[in-house]
Amino acid sequence: MAAALTVFTLAFGAGAGRLAIILTGMALTAVFTAGINLILIVNPDAYVGSARFIVGGLNGVLMRDLAGPAALIAAGLGVACLCGRGLDVIQLGDAAAHGLGLPVRRFRLAMLACAALLAGAAVSFAGLLGFVGLIVPHVARAIIRSGSRAQLMLSALLGAAFACACDLFARVAFAPFEVPVGIIMAFLGGPFFVVLIVRSRRRGEDDAV
């Protein structure tokens, strides 16, 4: 949440656009990554357990480790679902949302904070599992075309199922070795990301024509 607050503060000071938020997040990620690497170099003992967090994985996670994150995730999903109508409205554009009485800036900040809470709760026990937030929402949106509340709940269910399926594959396919599930997700998410870029570029060319 502290990292998210820093990103929001710097990005809104630079104009609050999507590009500003993305670039600020990338810059902050680079700084934090350098800090992690510095700690690992100065204190080699920190390597113990750090690989699982950096790559991402569910091995060693016990049920008692999930109580706190589960409560935060349930609260975050509850807030997001309660704000489903506002999420539908804001997709119409800032001007239209203002016209319908939605406080766009405060609402966007609240939803970004909610997203940071959900991501932080998941990362706290699973590590840096990449591409879940990229693959699953696109699949959910393809299944349910409209309705942010329904898309959110479907994304949560599909995301959990996707993570469990990748974890099962990582445990079984390379037995007796266990590959971190983050590696499996990277192999799946990388090509998916490339496909998204190609499709968005083609869509942009078609719109220009």
Side-chain angles (χ1 to χ4, degrees), residues 53-98:
F53 175 80
I54 294 173
V55 178
L58 301 175
N59 57 310
V61 178
L62 303 177
M63 290 299 295
R64 65 172 178 264
D65 301 327
L66 302 179
L72 294 175
I73 290 172
L77 284 176
V79 171
C81 288
L82 289 174
C83 298
R85 182 180 177 279
L87 291 171
D88 291 334
V89 170
I90 205 169
Q91 292 182 40
L92 301 175
D94 289 0
H98 273 298

Side-chain angles (χ1 to χ4, degrees), residues 20-204:
I21 293 176
I22 293 172
L23 293 177
T24 305
M26 292 176 62
L28 202 63
T29 298
V31 173
F32 284 157
T33 301
I36 292 173
N37 292 331
L38 178 62
I39 292 173
L40 295 178
I41 291 174
V42 174
N43 181 19
D45 293 337
Y47 271 107
V48 179
S50 64
R52 186 185 70 84
F53 175 80
I54 294 173
V55 178
L58 301 175
N59 57 310
V61 178
L62 303 177
M63 290 299 295
R64 65 172 178 264
D65 301 327
L66 302 179
L72 294 175
I73 290 172
L77 284 176
V79 171
C81 288
L82 289 174
C83 298
R85 182 180 177 279
L87 291 171
D88 291 334
V89 170
I90 205 169
Q91 292 182 40
L92 301 175
D94 289 0
H98 273 298
L100 293 172
L102 183 71
V104 174
R105 184 164 183 169
R106 292 199 302 270
F107 183 80
R108 182 176 284 119
L109 275 174
M111 291 298 96
L112 289 172
C114 185
L117 174 68
L118 289 168
V123 168
S124 68
F125 67 89
L128 303 177
L129 292 179
F131 294 105
V132 179
L134 176 68
I135 297 175
V136 174
H138 282 85
V139 175
R141 192 174 298 171
I143 297 173
I144 301 178
R145 294 292 182 178
S146 61
S148 296
R149 188 177 288 110
Q151 290 176 351
L152 282 169
M153 296 310 299
L154 182 60
S155 294
L157 293 174
L158 289 179
F162 178 64
C164 289
C166 289
D167 182 59
L168 179 62
F169 179 80
R171 293 173 187 267
V172 173
F174 302 96
F177 303 101
E178 182 177 343
V179 177
V181 65
I183 295 178
I184 304 299
M185 289 185 173
F187 276 123
L188 296 175
F192 186 86
F193 189 61
V194 172
V195 170
L196 281 181
I197 293 175
V198 172
R199 288 182 59 185
S200 62
R201 183 174 181 180
R202 288 179 178 175
R203 189 179 300 114

